Short mmCIF file of all heavy atoms in Angstrom, two decimals:
data_model
loop_
_atom_site.label_atom_id
_atom_site.label_comp_id
_atom_site.label_asym_id
_atom_site.label_seq_id
_atom_site.Cartn_x
_atom_site.Cartn_y
_atom_site.Cartn_z
N LYS A 53 114.14 92.57 119.96
CA LYS A 53 114.94 93.00 121.09
C LYS A 53 116.04 93.97 120.63
O LYS A 53 116.78 93.68 119.70
CB LYS A 53 115.58 91.78 121.75
CG LYS A 53 116.24 92.04 123.09
CD LYS A 53 115.22 92.26 124.18
CE LYS A 53 115.89 92.32 125.56
NZ LYS A 53 114.91 92.60 126.61
N GLY A 54 116.12 95.12 121.28
CA GLY A 54 117.14 96.11 120.89
C GLY A 54 116.82 96.78 119.57
O GLY A 54 117.71 97.31 118.92
N GLY A 55 115.54 96.81 119.19
CA GLY A 55 115.15 97.34 117.90
C GLY A 55 114.60 98.75 117.94
O GLY A 55 115.17 99.64 118.56
N ALA A 56 113.45 98.94 117.27
CA ALA A 56 112.93 100.28 117.06
C ALA A 56 112.62 101.01 118.36
O ALA A 56 112.96 102.19 118.51
CB ALA A 56 111.67 100.22 116.19
N GLU A 57 111.98 100.34 119.31
CA GLU A 57 111.63 101.02 120.56
C GLU A 57 112.88 101.52 121.28
O GLU A 57 112.94 102.67 121.74
CB GLU A 57 110.85 100.10 121.49
CG GLU A 57 110.43 100.79 122.79
CD GLU A 57 109.63 99.92 123.72
OE1 GLU A 57 109.57 98.69 123.50
OE2 GLU A 57 109.05 100.46 124.69
N ALA A 58 113.91 100.67 121.33
CA ALA A 58 115.14 101.05 122.03
C ALA A 58 115.83 102.23 121.36
O ALA A 58 116.26 103.17 122.03
CB ALA A 58 116.08 99.85 122.10
N VAL A 59 115.92 102.21 120.05
CA VAL A 59 116.64 103.28 119.36
C VAL A 59 115.84 104.57 119.36
O VAL A 59 116.40 105.67 119.51
CB VAL A 59 117.04 102.86 117.93
CG1 VAL A 59 115.84 102.81 117.00
CG2 VAL A 59 118.10 103.79 117.36
N LEU A 60 114.52 104.48 119.23
CA LEU A 60 113.71 105.70 119.28
C LEU A 60 113.76 106.34 120.66
O LEU A 60 113.84 107.57 120.79
CB LEU A 60 112.26 105.38 118.91
CG LEU A 60 111.99 105.08 117.44
CD1 LEU A 60 110.58 104.52 117.26
CD2 LEU A 60 112.18 106.32 116.57
N ARG A 61 113.75 105.51 121.69
CA ARG A 61 113.83 106.04 123.05
C ARG A 61 115.20 106.70 123.30
O ARG A 61 115.29 107.79 123.86
CB ARG A 61 113.59 104.91 124.06
CG ARG A 61 113.29 105.42 125.48
CD ARG A 61 112.85 104.29 126.38
NE ARG A 61 111.67 103.59 125.89
CZ ARG A 61 110.44 104.07 125.97
NH1 ARG A 61 110.22 105.26 126.50
NH2 ARG A 61 109.42 103.37 125.50
N ALA A 62 116.26 106.02 122.87
CA ALA A 62 117.60 106.56 123.06
C ALA A 62 117.80 107.87 122.32
O ALA A 62 118.50 108.77 122.79
CB ALA A 62 118.64 105.54 122.60
N ALA A 63 117.16 107.99 121.15
CA ALA A 63 117.30 109.20 120.34
C ALA A 63 116.33 110.30 120.75
O ALA A 63 116.32 111.38 120.16
CB ALA A 63 117.09 108.86 118.86
N GLY A 64 115.49 110.03 121.76
CA GLY A 64 114.54 111.04 122.23
C GLY A 64 113.37 111.24 121.31
O GLY A 64 112.74 112.30 121.31
N GLU A 65 113.02 110.21 120.54
CA GLU A 65 111.95 110.34 119.55
C GLU A 65 110.60 109.79 120.03
O GLU A 65 109.67 109.67 119.24
CB GLU A 65 112.37 109.62 118.26
CG GLU A 65 113.48 110.33 117.50
CD GLU A 65 113.04 111.66 116.91
OE1 GLU A 65 111.81 111.88 116.79
OE2 GLU A 65 113.90 112.49 116.57
N LEU A 66 110.49 109.46 121.31
CA LEU A 66 109.21 108.98 121.83
C LEU A 66 108.60 109.94 122.84
O LEU A 66 107.67 109.59 123.56
CB LEU A 66 109.39 107.60 122.49
CG LEU A 66 109.78 106.45 121.56
CD1 LEU A 66 109.95 105.15 122.35
CD2 LEU A 66 108.75 106.25 120.45
N ASP A 67 109.11 111.17 122.87
CA ASP A 67 108.73 112.10 123.93
C ASP A 67 107.46 112.90 123.64
O ASP A 67 106.81 113.38 124.57
CB ASP A 67 109.89 113.08 124.20
CG ASP A 67 111.15 112.37 124.69
OD1 ASP A 67 111.00 111.25 125.21
OD2 ASP A 67 112.23 112.93 124.54
N ASP A 68 107.09 113.08 122.38
CA ASP A 68 105.99 114.01 122.09
C ASP A 68 105.00 113.42 121.09
O ASP A 68 104.56 114.09 120.16
CB ASP A 68 106.55 115.33 121.54
CG ASP A 68 107.43 115.13 120.31
OD1 ASP A 68 107.77 113.96 120.01
OD2 ASP A 68 107.74 116.12 119.64
N LEU A 69 104.63 112.18 121.27
CA LEU A 69 103.69 111.53 120.36
C LEU A 69 102.27 112.03 120.59
O LEU A 69 101.86 112.23 121.73
CB LEU A 69 103.71 110.01 120.58
CG LEU A 69 105.02 109.26 120.30
CD1 LEU A 69 104.87 107.82 120.73
CD2 LEU A 69 105.36 109.34 118.83
N ASP A 70 101.50 112.20 119.51
CA ASP A 70 100.08 112.51 119.67
C ASP A 70 99.23 111.27 119.37
O ASP A 70 98.03 111.36 119.11
CB ASP A 70 99.66 113.69 118.79
CG ASP A 70 99.92 113.46 117.31
OD1 ASP A 70 100.33 112.33 116.94
OD2 ASP A 70 99.71 114.40 116.52
N TYR A 71 99.85 110.11 119.36
CA TYR A 71 99.19 108.82 119.25
C TYR A 71 99.95 107.88 120.19
O TYR A 71 101.02 108.22 120.70
CB TYR A 71 99.21 108.28 117.81
CG TYR A 71 100.60 108.23 117.21
CD1 TYR A 71 101.39 107.08 117.27
CD2 TYR A 71 101.14 109.35 116.56
CE1 TYR A 71 102.65 107.04 116.72
CE2 TYR A 71 102.41 109.33 116.01
CZ TYR A 71 103.16 108.17 116.09
OH TYR A 71 104.43 108.14 115.56
N ARG A 72 99.40 106.71 120.44
CA ARG A 72 100.06 105.77 121.34
C ARG A 72 100.63 104.60 120.55
O ARG A 72 100.00 104.12 119.61
CB ARG A 72 99.07 105.27 122.39
CG ARG A 72 99.71 104.42 123.47
CD ARG A 72 98.78 104.27 124.67
NE ARG A 72 97.60 103.46 124.39
CZ ARG A 72 97.57 102.13 124.48
NH1 ARG A 72 98.65 101.46 124.85
NH2 ARG A 72 96.45 101.47 124.22
N ILE A 73 101.84 104.17 120.93
CA ILE A 73 102.43 103.00 120.30
C ILE A 73 102.30 101.81 121.25
O ILE A 73 102.65 101.90 122.43
CB ILE A 73 103.92 103.22 119.96
CG1 ILE A 73 104.07 104.31 118.91
CG2 ILE A 73 104.55 101.92 119.47
CD1 ILE A 73 105.51 104.62 118.54
#
Side-chain angles (χ1 to χ4, degrees):
K53 191 73 172 177
E57 182 179 12
V59 72
L60 287 169
R61 195 171 302 284
E65 290 292 341
L66 294 179
D67 298 338
D68 57 348
L69 297 173
D70 59 6
Y71 53 93
R72 187 164 69 86
I73 295 179

